[in-house]
Amino acid sequence: MNKDRLIILPEVADAIAQNKPIVALESTIISHGMPWPRNVETALSVEEAVRSEGAIPATIAIRNGQCLVGLSKDDIEFFGKEKDVWKVSIRDMAYVLSKKLPGATTVAATMRIASMAGVRIFATGGIGGVHRGAETSMDISADLTEMAHTNVAVVSAGVKSILDIGLTLEYLETLGIPVVTVGQDAFPSFYSRSSGYTSPLRIDKPQEIADMLSVKWQMGLQGSVLIANPLPVSQEVEPGLIESYILQALAEADKQGISGKAVTPFLLKYIATHSKGESLEANIALIHHNASLAARIAVAMGW
Ligand code: PSU
Ligand code: MN
C-alpha cells in the first residue's frame, strides 16, 4: 500500500494508534443517496451519533488521488454539494484515484479503504445486493463480493426491497457471510422491520456481536458480518406504499434504459422524490440508529 494514497484524519489516526473504537461511514449516501442540504446535515449528525456512544467517526471518500479516512466539515460540504462526484465501487477505485476525480465510496469501496486503515466496523443505511431480475441482468452488487473477503463488519437496516431480498440472502449464504439480526427473528427490509424472511441468525446484545466478530476473525474466517438493525417502530413506512413506488421506479428505469451502476441511485432517488419525503425521514433516522449500534459494538470490541 502506498501510504501517500491513504490520508487519515489526525483524530482518526490517533484513535487507530491508541486502539480506540472507530466507526467507518460511507459517502455515496451523501453524494448520491440524499438531497442537499439534508445529506450534509445527516452526515454531520451521524458523526455526532457515533461520538455520543464513545467512538470516533471516520467518513470515507476519495479526492485528489487520495483515499480519505475521516472527512473535514468542508469535505462533507463538498461531497454534499458537488454535482460531478463519481459513485466509486471497487472497480472504479484505481481509475478515480489515478484521474484525481472526486469519488463517493459505496459500501464495497468504503469497506476496502476502512480495512486498509485498520478500521473494523462500518455503519450505513442499506447495502447493495441481488437486484430483482438478476437471473437475466446479472446485476449483483460488488458490495456482496467485497463482504465475502474484507474483514469489516457492516451495520445496515437490512436489505431494501428495491432488491430481491430472498436472492440476496441466498447469495450471502453462498459467499459465507453471516447475517445477524439484532433483537428479533425477522430479517428487516430497511423501511420495514420485517421482510417476509426469517433472519439466518439473531443476536440481541452489542457485546455478543463483538464476541462473534472476535471469534470469526481470530479463526481466520475472512470477510464481513452483515448486522441487520431493524429501524425504530415509529419510523416504519407502510410496505404496500413502498412497494408501489418501487414498482413505478423499476418500470421507469426500464423505460429510460437505466442500467449498470446508475440503477441503484435512480431507484433510490425516484422513491425519495415520490414518497414526499417520508422515505427520506426514515432513511435519516435509521442511519443514526445504525451508527449508534455500530459505535456500541466498536466500544464493546475494545479496539
Ligand atoms: N442502498 C441503499 N442506500 C444506498 C445504497 C444502496 O438503500 O445509499 C448505495 C450504497 O452506497 C451501496 C450502493 O453500496 O448504493 C450499491 O450500489 P450498487 O447496487 O450499484 O452496487
Ligand atoms: Mn449493479
Side-chain angles (χ1 to χ4, degrees), residues 26 28-29 33 87 89 105-108 124-129 131 139 141-143 160 162 190 260-261 264-265 268:
E26 64 157 306
T28 289
I29 217 167
K87 173 185 160 195
S89 192
T105 48
T106 62
V107 168
T124 184
I127 60 162
H131 281 260
D139 192 350
S141 175
D143 291 354
K160 200 174 269 184
I162 57 171
F190 201 91
K261 68 186 279 190
T264 302
L268 296 178

Side-chain angles (χ1 to χ4, degrees), residues 140-244:
I140 301 174
S141 175
D143 291 354
L144 298 186
T145 37
E146 186 62 21
M147 289 179 76
H149 52 75
T150 294
N151 296 355
V152 176
V154 178
V155 178
S156 87
V159 169
K160 200 174 269 184
S161 55
I162 57 171
L163 303 171
D164 187 316
I165 298 176
L167 293 187
T168 302
L169 287 169
E170 288 293 343
Y171 205 63
L172 285 160
E173 180 187 355
T174 302
L175 295 174
I177 302 163
V179 176
V180 176
T181 298
V182 183
Q184 63 176 39
D185 296 330
F187 182 70
S189 59
F190 201 91
Y191 296 118
S192 170
R193 291 169 63 83
S194 57
S195 61
Y197 294 90
T198 299
S199 179
L201 304 166
R202 168 184 175 163
I203 294 183
D204 292 352
K205 295 195 178 75
Q207 182 64 60
E208 291 171 340
I209 298 173
D211 293 344
M212 179 177 161
L213 294 176
S214 297
V215 170
K216 184 175 195 284
W217 293 328
Q218 278 162 11
M219 292 291 295
L221 292 161
Q222 300 290 319
S224 186
V225 170
L226 176 61
I227 301 162
N229 188 27
L231 89 170
V233 180
S234 60
Q235 299 293 339
E236 275 190 303
V237 184
E238 204 250 301
L241 189 69
I242 289 292
E243 180 64 16
S244 73

Side-chain angles (χ1 to χ4, degrees), residues 35-107:
W36 189 83
R38 297 304 298 279
N39 55 357
V40 170
E41 287 162 27
T42 304
L44 295 172
S45 61
V46 166
E47 291 202 344
E48 281 316 304
V50 169
R51 286 183 202 285
S52 68
E53 295 292 344
I56 302 294
T59 306
I60 290 177
I62 293 177
R63 201 175 173 184
N64 299 328
Q66 294 171 319
C67 299
L68 308 179
V69 180
L71 298 186
S72 67
K73 218 173 154 187
D74 284 352
D75 286 328
I76 289 179
E77 286 275 347
F78 171 84
F79 283 103
K81 269 195 188 150
E82 179 68 31
K83 289 281 165 279
D84 291 324
V85 175
W86 271 66
K87 173 185 160 195
V88 180
S89 192
I90 298 295
R91 62 124 192 233
D92 313 293
M93 279 177 69
Y95 178 85
V96 168
L97 282 164
S98 66
K99 291 268 195 188
K100 298 190 166 54
L101 299 168
T105 48
T106 62
V107 168

